[in-house]
């Protein structure tokens, strides 16, 4: 009897810990996701003649663990992802969806891959005045997080470092110190690099939001060490039937960017995008109209706006000039954007979007580009977690060099436009 009592005393802490662990796992969030994505782009943007068939058709599976906070303060998140190709074109790798492999015969083929999509520790604290403070350390997906954002249509890029968020009734702050990057189709982490493969030791970003009585103010600043510094100021006023907003994104070239070869540098000293936008909330949907102007002066060629704080990471890109099938980032380009999203039923939404870029030139020739797209979204109430979407339409732009944005000229010294199409279909099931 004495031995049994001793054994029970030894096992009781283990049983208690085991029970607590089981409760911890049960109370945490577990998400399984399946994505089937078809992306077919007919584009001649980087071809001197003809169009390239950029085809990607993939299936992905993911698992995400979002823990509860132990003692209301400590937790962790962890994610796994696997991607396999179904079909692909010759230039599939241009979209950063799949990995590529060159065989013994010199032929390139698409390869599936798996990766740890997220892995970070988290802490949270609250104050008596209702302010919540969050700390994160590790590999984390960041979307519109100050001067950086996520990249990828199927998979998500992630940043390794330390981030924090502070929330109160009217204020929201975000800050991050980032040292590595995991691209959408890269299994591990990579050092931050310039376009000539020099190290960028870190990226920092700070952001602040203030909201009161329908007025919203937003500011961020971010820098890839001695490479690019990006800042944004925005303001919006929202009322019952409409929203007016204005934004300025300004980027400074720092010493390591200025020292790049001319072929690798999209602008000389600085670049900016200024935009205004109006959203009208109708009984049937949302109608939006906006205008943007791009400045990215480059003495040797046609400049192009960019705000990626390292060459292998992704800058914040929520602006009018960033399109469905392409961007409208050329120096002195004016962009008009119009969209409408119609609520056909609780399950079906229909939409269209159009952009027209004009009033810029190269070698004395006027240039233009456009895109027109339609979209349908279907979220059946009978199958929670399922969303089907189809997007696409025609577009046109000028042929240019991929690395330096310089327009191609024919034997007569004339620029050449191409007409292309984009079709994207996606099935997402989360459970």
């Amino acid at each position: 009897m004495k031995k049994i009592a001793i054994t029970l005393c030894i096992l009781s802490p283990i049983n208690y810990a085991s029970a607590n662990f089981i409760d911890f796992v049960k109370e945490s969030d577990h998400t399984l996701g399946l994505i089937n994505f078809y992306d077919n782009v007919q584009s001649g943007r980087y071809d001197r003649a003809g169009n390239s068939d950029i085809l990607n058709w993939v299936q992905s599976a993911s698992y995400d663990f979002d823990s509860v906070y132990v003692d209301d303060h400590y937790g962790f998140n962890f994610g796994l992802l696997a991607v396999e190709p179904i079909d692909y074109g010759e230039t599939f790798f241009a979209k950063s969806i799949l990995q590529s492999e060159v065989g013994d015969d010199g032929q390139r083929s698409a390869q599936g891959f798996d990766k740890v999509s997220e892995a970070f520790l988290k802490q949270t604290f609250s104050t008596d005045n209702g302010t919540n403070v969050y700390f994160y350390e590790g590999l984390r997906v960041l979307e519109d997080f100050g001067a950086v954002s996520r990249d990828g249509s199927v998979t998500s890029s992630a940043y390794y470092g330390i981030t924090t968020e502070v929330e109160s009734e009217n204020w929201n702050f975000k800050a991050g110190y980032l040292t590595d990057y995991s691209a959408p189709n890269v299994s591990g982490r990579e050092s931050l690099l310039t376009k000539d493969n020099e190290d960028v030791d870190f990226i920092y970003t700070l952001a602040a939001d203030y909201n009161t009585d329908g007025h919203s103010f937003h500011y961020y600043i971010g820098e890839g060490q001695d490479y690019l510094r990006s800042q944004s100021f925005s303001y919006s006023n929202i009322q019952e039937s409409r929203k007016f907003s204005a934004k300025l994104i300004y980027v400074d070239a720092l010493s390591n960017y200025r020292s790049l070869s001319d072929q690798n540098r999209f602008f000389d000293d600085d670049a900016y995008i200024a935009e205004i936008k109006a959203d009208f909330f109708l009984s049937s949907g949302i109608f939006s109209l906006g205008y943007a102007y791009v400045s990215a002066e480059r003495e040797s060629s046609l400049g192009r706006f960019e705000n990626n704080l390292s060459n292998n990471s992704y800058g914040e890109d929520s602006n009018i000039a960033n399109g469905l099938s392409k961007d409208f980032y050329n120096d002195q380009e004016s962009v008009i954007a119009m969209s409408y999203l119609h609520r056909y039923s609780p399950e079906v939404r229909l939409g269209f979007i159009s952009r027209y870029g004009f009033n810029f030139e190269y070698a004395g020739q006027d240039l233009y580009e456009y895109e027109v797209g339609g979209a349908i979204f279907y979220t059946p109430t009978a199958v929670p977690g399922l969303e089907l979407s189809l997007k696409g339409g025609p577009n046109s732009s000028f042929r240019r060099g991929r690395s330096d944005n310089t327009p191609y000229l024919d034997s007569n010294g004339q620029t050449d436009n191409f007409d292309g199409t984009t079709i994207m279909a996606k099935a997402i099931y989360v459970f």
Side-chain angles (χ1 to χ4, degrees):
M1 188 70 180
K2 184 177 180 181
K3 291 182 179 180
I4 295 176
I6 293 173
T7 302
L8 290 175
C9 289
I10 294 173
L11 291 179
S12 59
I14 298 175
N15 290 334
Y16 178 77
S18 177
N20 282 350
F21 176 75
I22 292 173
D23 290 340
F24 171 80
V25 173
K26 286 182 178 180
E27 293 171 5
S28 298
D29 290 332
H30 308 261
T31 304
L32 296 173
L34 299 173
I35 298 179
N36 191 291
F37 181 61
Y38 176 86
D39 182 16
N40 192 344
V41 178
Q42 301 292 326
S43 173
R45 187 188 312 183
Y46 303 120
D47 289 341
R48 290 187 178 274
N51 281 3
S52 294
D53 179 9
I54 305 175
L55 171 64
N56 298 272
W57 187 11
V58 301
Q59 176 69 55
S60 74
S62 61
Y63 167 72
D64 292 289
F65 176 82
D66 184 358
S67 81
V68 294
Y69 286 96
V70 178
D71 294 331
D72 296 325
H73 289 301
Y74 308 100
F76 68 93
N77 282 38
F78 183 75
L80 296 172
L81 175 75
V83 180
E84 285 295 328
I86 298 174
D87 195 9
Y88 55 92
E90 292 183 359
T91 51
F92 66 89
F93 52 88
K95 298 286 285 186
S96 295
I97 292 175
L98 295 165
Q99 294 184 353
S100 62
E101 183 177 280
V102 179
D104 296 337
D105 57 359
Q107 296 297 311
R108 189 186 298 269
S109 62
Q111 300 294 319
F113 64 95
D114 54 71
K115 66 185 296 184
V116 174
S117 55
E118 283 192 314
F120 60 87
L121 302 174
K122 59 186 181 182
Q123 301 178 58
T124 182
F125 303 93
S126 299
T127 65
D128 294 337
N129 63 359
T131 299
N132 298 314
V133 182
Y134 305 91
F135 294 101
Y136 308 92
E137 181 179 0
L139 186 69
R140 185 179 175 214
V141 174
L142 302 176
E143 183 166 9
D144 296 336
F145 192 93
V148 299
S149 190
R150 66 175 291 275
D151 185 21
S153 302
V154 179
T155 67
S156 291
S157 58
Y159 298 80
Y160 182 83
I162 299 172
T163 55
T164 184
E165 301 181 39
V166 181
E167 299 175 351
S168 65
E169 182 178 359
N170 300 108
W171 288 93
N172 181 281
F173 298 96
K174 296 180 179 179
Y177 180 86
L178 314 169
T179 57
D180 293 284
Y181 183 70
S182 178
N185 63 335
V186 172
S187 298
R189 285 160 34 195
E190 298 177 326
S191 298
L192 302 169
L193 300 171
T194 68
K195 288 184 182 179
D196 53 4
N197 292 321
E198 295 295 327
D199 285 337
V200 175
D201 289 340
F202 61 83
I203 288 174
Y204 79 79
T205 179
L206 302 168
D209 289 272
Y210 178 71
N211 300 278
T212 181
D213 297 328
H215 300 278
S216 178
F217 302 85
H218 176 72
Y219 170 76
Y220 75 66
I221 182 171
E223 179 186 324
Q225 183 201 23
D226 298 330
Y227 188 63
L228 287 177
R229 181 184 300 120
S230 177
Q231 299 183 71
S232 178
F233 308 84
S234 63
Y235 165 76
S236 64
N237 175 256
I238 185 170
Q239 298 184 5
E240 185 175 350
S241 61
R242 54 91 177 145
K243 174 184 177 182
F244 293 137
S245 58
K247 176 185 288 188
L248 174 67
I249 308 168
Y250 180 79
V251 184
D252 267 323
L254 305 179
S255 57
N256 287 342
Y257 188 86
R258 293 171 185 263
S259 65
L260 294 174
S261 66
D262 187 60
Q263 184 178 3
N264 285 332
R265 193 173 61 249
F266 279 146
F267 60 86
D268 291 331
D269 298 315
D270 53 26
Y272 68 83
I273 295 177
E275 69 172 49
I276 55 174
K277 184 182 178 185
D279 300 296
F280 301 96
F281 309 124
L282 311 175
S283 58
S284 59
I286 302 175
F287 175 76
S288 300
L289 181 65
Y291 169 82
Y293 177 78
V294 181
S295 175
E297 186 175 350
R298 184 176 171 212
E299 184 177 355
S300 63
S301 184
L302 179 63
R304 179 183 181 276
F305 175 87
E306 68 170 332
N307 67 338
N308 298 332
L309 301 185
S310 74
N311 184 49
N312 58 338
S313 66
Y314 199 69
E316 195 274 335
D317 65 349
S318 57
N319 61 79
I320 289 174
N322 183 48
L324 173 67
S325 59
K326 57 185 300 298
D327 58 60
F328 294 71
Y329 282 178
N330 301 291
D331 182 38
Q332 298 185 30
E333 183 169 12
S334 292
V335 185
I336 295 176
M338 182 171 59
S339 66
Y340 175 65
L341 184 63
H342 176 70
R343 292 186 299 272
Y344 178 78
S345 73
E347 295 182 328
V348 179
R349 293 170 294 152
L350 305 171
F352 83 90
I353 189 168
S354 62
R355 285 180 176 84
Y356 181 64
F358 63 100
N359 203 36
F360 63 109
E361 63 178 36
Y362 178 74
Q365 301 175 59
D366 293 332
L367 300 175
Y368 73 92
E369 52 188 353
Y370 69 81
E371 69 172 6
V372 179
I376 181 170
F377 304 91
Y378 177 52
T379 53
T381 55
V383 188
L386 177 63
E387 180 175 331
L388 307 176
S389 64
L390 177 64
K391 306 175 186 177
N395 59 78
S396 180
S397 190
F398 58 94
R399 303 181 192 275
R400 73 196 75 178
R402 180 187 296 273
S403 62
D404 64 359
N405 202 51
T406 299
Y408 293 140
L409 302 179
D410 61 21
S411 57
N412 297 318
Q414 300 296 307
T415 59
D416 182 27
N417 258 50
F418 72 90
D419 295 323
T421 58
T422 298
I423 298 175
M424 292 182 286
K426 183 181 288 188
I428 302 174
Y429 183 42
V430 177
F431 55 98

